Amino acid sequence: MMHNNAPGVTASLQQALAGLNPGQREAVLHQSSPLLILAGAGSGKTRVITVKIAYQIEALGHDPRSILAVTFTNKAAGEMRERAAGLAERAGDVTIRTFHSFGAWMLRRNADVAGLPRGFSIYDDSDAVSLLHSLFPERKRPDLARYSQAISRAKDYCLTPEDDLLEISEDPDLPRIYAAYQKRLEEIGNVDFGDLIMRPVKLLESEPAVAQRLQSRFRSILVDEYQDSNVAQYRLLRALCDQTTFVCVVGDDDQSIYRFRGAEVQNILSFSRIFPGTRVVKLEQNYRSTAPILDLAGAVVARNEGRLGKHLYTERTEGDVPRLILLGDQDQEVSWVIEQVRSCQREDRPGVTAVLYRTNAQSRPFETALLREGIPYRIVGSLRFYEREEVKDAVAFLRFLANPRDEVGFRRIVNKPARGIGAKTLDRLLQHQGVARGDLRRACEYGLGEVSKKAALALKEFLQVFDEMERRLEGDQDAELTPAGEKTLASAVEHLLEISGLSRYHQEQDQIAGTQKLQNLEELVNAASLYPLSREGLVEFLEAIELDSSRDVASSEDARVVLITMHNTKGLEFDRVIITGLEEGLFPRNDDPRELEEERRLFYVAVTRAHQEVTLTSCRRRRLHGRFMDLLPSRFLAEIPRDLVQVESFQGGDRASLQDGSPWQKGTPVYHDDYGSGIVIRSWQAGAERCVEVRFETGMTGQFFPAYDSSLERVAGAENSWGDSW
């Protein structure tokens, strides 16, 4: 799979190599042993990966088919493919996929060995709950959703129903429900997202011939965003490698923020131990942010114990010191943010201001205020396109067309739009699954004589939809052509929407509710135009749908204000970043040591999204559960060295002034409700507020803003005078 005679380096690749800094160049050229590229935020890791792919092809003479590059989103995979092809023409033959897309690719090509039909459907979370409900109709859907999540997490760890699941859940029913779910999923010939990784792992580990064939093909494996990988993905990587495979992973342990999705930071922390002889290359030069921003981010994340360690630097040494704004409550927080946005407009400061928050619920007051003020904004994190009711209806028809054993899809569409096929009729039809060998279209045919005339007529019309669609897939004279001259799937999808009644049904819904469901169906037709008119094209289209990344719904596409959760900022960048809600219990959310370290990493990610300016806000009170509650400033604020942030206090929109004198001088004895007795060891003026550092009898030290921490009290008799200041 590899050639010794290098075809010669292209001019574009030579130019790309010349533009690399020393760390990037070392990462691109290294080839002799496993490689861990520890890439800090904004350090140009995508450039390194794409140049490395081109270098392996052009300079080292690797067969592009022997290279596998894996990442986590379709967008990232597409960008990597496009940039690599710009440096090496043959890079178009490199396998560049997401983990789940690669798993689906592998299963389809080994379907017989894996015990799957080639046209299997991929179930999302909603489908999984529907399947569970068909097995356990006595249970409520929210209850089944929790089991679905537990099953998904178990598969992230490659755990079967027979394994010990106590670390996943202590629910004694989980093994039984998981076993029934998996048995049924396999009977109907489908997979869920967890199976796209776990089943390939099991296949590689149990079928030496399959493993050897793939190991022989992929001689160089590169994994992007490795800090986001889970245990199953790690095992997939290990199973694809033999002793001669060159393996390179790229990631940043300080940006591992998806533990709630199953990401395991230990994958990157232990890489050098798992792969002996690993070369570690650190990319520490940042091309995005100013030095003050990087200093702030680095100071907080450096408190984590579970990290490999690096220090970001930049040639952009200029820049304003980040600000910390102390506010009375969330209403003042919103007013302050609106004023900053207005200030940018008045001063004609270009670029985008991103307002970040820990949870989606925090966006509501900002949305309300921005709408009230008539300020265009864009909110990231809306409902995904393929999760909308009307789109899921259409996709269910297409899935059933591809795989007539798809029970979840069948249940969704057999009576939608309403055809008079009730629950009893449906149960009677499903009794024929066994004799029909799982083919539900045959089961319907077998059951025609056992149902009412009305239901039988409806079933015949339902089955005719798929008979006609089968003919359409064989050839459509009216179909548009792709640039390659192939007929596209678009006309077939459009025809399906018409003959199934979905277009008319959702058009009526639009007229009743004033929605835009029909337009969403039209967009689905547009998406289908990228695929050829064939059964293979249909399967490819359905796979792309299931693996598609989220689409953002915006109030204004060119808005200069973005509302977004901190998690959703990963991979994005903005001119100005305002990080709101820095209070204990909100950010960080709790005291769990593992979660606390991930929250620090989330803080690091949020701060390093900024090009020019970073502002932090913290409120003394916030409305929770319908009432105001006093909150403590986030402990992350106390972890910021005093010279890295400018502190300002605002009350009612006006800057507050301190009264003359301070009772919090050095040496003052204090008591804290949570930490006990202590003594002030430092006291300084932080903008408009007094900040103190306290050493407690337990040996712990902490920094506090006394005006905002009602739990910290002076012991009676303490003097009332100014102490040390900055």
Side-chain angles (χ1 to χ4, degrees):
M1 286 292 185
M2 302 173 67
H3 304 294
N4 293 324
N5 54 327
V9 177
T10 63
S12 57
L13 179 54
Q14 289 179 344
Q15 184 178 4
L17 288 168
L20 299 176
N21 65 40
Q24 293 172 333
R25 186 174 181 84
E26 180 184 1
V28 167
L29 300 184
H30 179 78
Q31 191 71 22
S32 59
S33 64
L35 177 63
L36 167 58
I37 303 175
L38 202 59
S43 61
K45 70 176 179 62
T46 303
R47 172 196 285 186
V48 170
I49 298 173
T50 53
V51 174
K52 190 171 185 67
I53 290 172
Y55 181 79
Q56 288 182 335
I57 296 171
E58 297 292 329
L60 301 181
H62 289 204
D63 183 340
R65 292 184 68 254
S66 73
I67 301 173
L68 169 64
V70 186
T71 186
F72 280 83
T73 67
N74 290 330
K75 179 181 178 182
E79 181 183 356
M80 191 183 301
R81 186 179 300 108
E82 181 179 349
R83 292 174 65 168
L87 299 174
E89 182 178 350
R90 294 190 301 147
D93 292 330
V94 174
T95 300
I96 302 178
R97 289 180 173 268
T98 67
F99 265 109
H100 289 94
S101 174
F102 176 78
W105 175 88
M106 180 180 156
L107 287 176
R108 293 201 193 281
R109 280 152 185 79
N110 297 276
D112 293 341
V113 183
L116 287 167
R118 289 187 179 273
F120 63 79
S121 297
I122 304 170
Y123 281 7
D124 61 14
D125 293 342
S126 177
D127 297 326
V129 173
S130 296
L131 183 57
L132 282 168
H133 192 260
S134 70
L135 294 168
F136 304 99
E138 73 282 1
R139 291 182 179 266
K140 296 181 179 179
R141 280 185 171 268
D143 185 37
L144 293 173
R146 288 191 291 272
Y147 282 109
S148 174
Q149 292 169 1
I151 292 170
S152 177
R153 178 58 63 89
K155 291 184 177 184
D156 286 343
Y157 287 90
C158 270
L159 297 175
T160 68
E162 291 74 34
D163 292 319
D164 184 357
L165 301 177
L166 287 179
E167 290 192 10
I168 304 299
S169 172
E170 296 182 358
D171 190 324
D173 287 340
L174 176 59
R176 178 178 62 86
I177 291 176
Y178 182 4
Y181 166 83
Q182 193 62 29
K183 181 175 182 290
R184 192 74 186 117
L185 191 61
E186 293 173 3
E187 287 175 349
I188 61 179
N190 287 331
V191 299
D192 58 21
F193 265 77
D195 285 331
L196 292 180
I197 308 298
M198 189 171 82
R199 291 192 68 153
V201 169
K202 300 294 185 183
L203 183 62
L204 289 167
E205 293 178 348
S206 63
E207 298 289 340
V210 176
Q212 186 176 4
R213 186 172 72 251
L214 286 169
Q215 290 167 356
S216 298
R217 171 171 177 177
F218 297 117
R219 308 306 304 139
S220 178
I221 301 178
L222 303 93
V223 183
D224 189 19
E225 302 286 6
Y226 190 61
Q227 78 281 344
D228 293 336
S229 62
N230 59 36
V231 170
Q233 289 160 344
Y234 154 74
R235 285 181 58 177
L236 179 61
L237 173 64
R238 289 288 290 144
L240 288 169
C241 296
D242 62 20
Q243 293 181 344
T244 62
T245 307
F246 173 72
V247 57
C248 167
V249 300
V250 187
D252 184 0
D253 52 333
D254 290 334
Q255 295 190 70
S256 180
I257 60 173
Y258 296 124
R259 182 167 169 258
F260 66 96
R261 295 181 186 171
E264 179 51 72
V265 69
Q266 286 299 321
N267 287 353
I268 192 169
L269 296 179
S270 62
F271 183 84
S272 296
R273 177 174 56 82
I274 301 299
F275 292 87
T278 292
R279 170 78 68 87
V280 179
V281 176
K282 297 181 180 181
L283 304 184
E284 297 177 300
Q285 183 172 356
N286 177 280
Y287 294 92
R288 178 188 301 151
S289 308
T290 64
I293 292 173
L294 298 181
D295 291 342
L296 171 64
V300 172
V301 80
R303 300 276 184 142
N304 279 354
E305 295 180 2
R307 66 189 298 260
L308 297 173
K310 62 185 175 304
H311 178 73
L312 294 184
Y313 68 93
T314 179
E315 295 180 353
R316 298 181 60 199
T317 54
E318 83 292 347
D320 296 332
V321 174
R323 293 192 294 169
L324 166 60
I325 310 300
L326 302 175
L327 299 147
D329 57 40
Q330 66 200 63
D331 295 331
Q332 292 180 11
E333 182 180 56
V334 171
S335 297
W336 187 89
V337 168
I338 295 297
E339 175 54 31
Q340 298 310 299
V341 171
R342 287 295 191 201
S343 176
C344 290
Q345 292 178 334
R346 288 194 300 267
E347 299 168 13
D348 196 26
R349 293 157 65 192
V352 173
T353 299
V355 180
L356 279 55
Y357 35 81
R358 180 64 180 81
T359 65
N360 275 308
Q362 292 170 255
S363 71
R364 184 196 58 79
F366 294 110
E367 290 185 71
T368 300
L370 289 166
L371 287 169
R372 183 181 64 240
E373 297 292 326
I375 300 174
Y377 71 94
R378 183 161 53 93
I379 184 166
V380 177
S382 298
L383 189 66
R384 295 181 180 183
F385 177 79
Y386 290 112
E387 290 178 347
R388 297 171 187 170
E389 177 199 8
E390 63 279 10
V391 178
K392 285 185 73 71
D393 291 342
V395 170
F397 269 98
L398 293 171
R399 288 199 325 202
F400 192 65
L401 175 62
N403 179 16
R405 294 199 291 174
D406 183 358
E407 182 177 336
V408 170
F410 173 74
R411 286 178 177 273
R412 183 182 184 97
I413 62 177
V414 68
N415 198 44
K416 191 171 186 180
R419 297 182 177 85
I421 301 174
K424 291 183 178 180
T425 300
L426 183 57
D427 290 339
R428 191 166 296 171
L429 295 174
L430 292 175
Q431 290 175 2
H432 295 281
Q433 274 182 289
V435 67
R437 296 184 179 181
D439 188 326
L440 291 169
R441 286 162 63 182
R442 286 187 179 180
C444 288
E445 293 172 351
Y446 293 153
L448 283 175
E450 302 175 9
V451 300
S452 67
K453 291 184 179 180
K454 179 180 178 182
L457 180 61
L459 276 174
K460 288 180 180 179
E461 293 177 352
F462 175 75
L463 294 174
Q464 285 173 0
V465 169
F466 298 98
D467 291 338
E468 186 167 341
M469 289 304 300
E470 292 283 0
R471 293 192 293 271
R472 286 266 173 169
L473 287 178
E474 297 299 325
D476 185 350
Q477 299 301 320
D478 299 326
E480 295 291 331
L481 299 181
T482 67
E486 299 174 301
K487 295 178 180 178
T488 77
L489 195 62
S491 62
V493 174
E494 187 173 35
H495 187 65
L496 172 64
L497 296 175
E498 293 175 0
I499 63 176
S500 67
L502 281 181
S503 290
R504 182 173 62 256
Y505 171 77
H506 287 297
Q507 184 177 31
E508 292 171 355
Q509 295 298 307
D510 284 348
Q511 294 172 349
I512 295 171
T515 53
Q516 298 178 338
K517 295 178 181 292
L518 191 59
Q519 290 185 18
N520 290 332
L521 292 176
E522 292 170 354
E523 180 60 28
L524 185 68
V525 173
N526 293 337
S529 67
L530 302 175
Y531 299 87
L533 179 64
S534 64
R535 179 164 291 279
E536 291 74 19
L538 173 61
V539 170
E540 187 180 355
F541 179 45
L542 289 171
E543 182 173 311
I545 288 174
E546 300 298 343
L547 301 172
D548 198 22
S549 57
S550 61
R551 291 182 50 172
D552 302 331
V553 180
S555 299
S556 174
E557 288 300 325
D558 59 351
R560 290 169 55 182
V561 180
V562 172
L563 304 181
I564 186 170
T565 65
M566 297 179 201
H567 278 99
N568 282 333
T569 62
K570 181 75 180 299
L572 304 179
E573 51 189 68
F574 308 95
D575 298 277
R576 292 171 295 276
V577 165
I578 302 174
I579 304 173
T580 63
L582 277 157
E583 299 109 30
E584 286 291 303
L586 188 57
F587 187 49
R589 302 180 71 176
N590 57 50
D591 294 322
D592 181 277
R594 289 188 63 183
E595 292 193 14
L596 187 59
E597 294 223 341
E598 179 154 318
E599 295 278 277
R600 281 199 189 93
R601 296 194 291 267
L602 185 58
F603 181 85
Y604 167 88
V605 168
V607 171
T608 55
R609 301 307 95 193
H611 286 281
Q612 302 289 348
E613 301 175 25
V614 167
T615 305
L616 316 174
T617 68
S618 180
C619 296
R620 183 174 183 176
R621 299 191 306 161
R622 190 170 293 274
R623 193 178 292 108
L624 299 172
H625 308 296
R627 55 179 180 155
F628 275 111
M629 297 181 65
D630 290 333
L631 300 171
L632 297 177
S634 169
R635 70 189 66 193
F636 299 155
L637 300 180
E639 295 174 356
I640 301 172
R642 60 188 184 184
D643 59 334
L644 296 186
V645 66
Q646 175 184 333
V647 183
E648 302 173 22
S649 176
F650 285 79
Q651 299 292 336
D654 298 323
R655 188 174 307 207
S657 61
L658 288 177
Q659 296 179 351
D660 293 336
S662 170
W664 301 96
Q665 66 178 3
K666 183 178 180 180
T668 300
V670 297
Y671 181 84
H672 194 281
D673 289 347
D674 295 328
Y675 309 120
S677 299
I679 190 168
V680 175
I681 59 175
R682 277 199 307 147
S683 177
W684 66 92
Q685 189 70 14
E689 288 292 348
R690 174 65 42 173
C691 187
V692 297
E693 184 172 0
V694 178
R695 178 180 291 120
F696 295 96
E697 291 179 350
T698 60
M700 188 196 105
T701 60
Q703 296 178 8
F704 302 88
F705 294 99
Y708 287 84
D709 192 342
S710 58
S711 298
L712 183 69
E713 300 178 0
R714 291 184 305 121
V715 175
E719 297 182 5
N720 184 12
S721 62
W722 286 96
D724 296 341
S725 63
W726 285 6

